[in-house]
Amino acid sequence: MVHVLADGRIVETGGPELALELEQHGYAWLKDRVPPEKVA
């Protein structure tokens, strides 16, 4: 099981295929999955 965290939150979870994708393409494609910070 692979978990990708951004800003302390899990933004993607997967198996070996996710690990291979990260090795091939890096993490930049995940930046759009990080939710914007809530303004208090």
Side-chain angles (χ1 to χ4, degrees):
M1 185 63 64
V2 177
H3 299 293
V4 178
L5 287 91
D7 293 330
R9 298 180 184 173
I10 296 175
V11 294
E12 189 71 32
T13 298
E17 60 281 343
L18 177 58
L20 292 172
E21 177 119 5
L22 292 169
E23 284 183 13
Q24 292 175 357
H25 302 288
Y27 291 83
W29 62 275
L30 289 167
K31 70 179 181 180
D32 295 333
R33 297 174 189 233
V34 177
E37 290 290 323
K38 291 183 180 178
V39 177

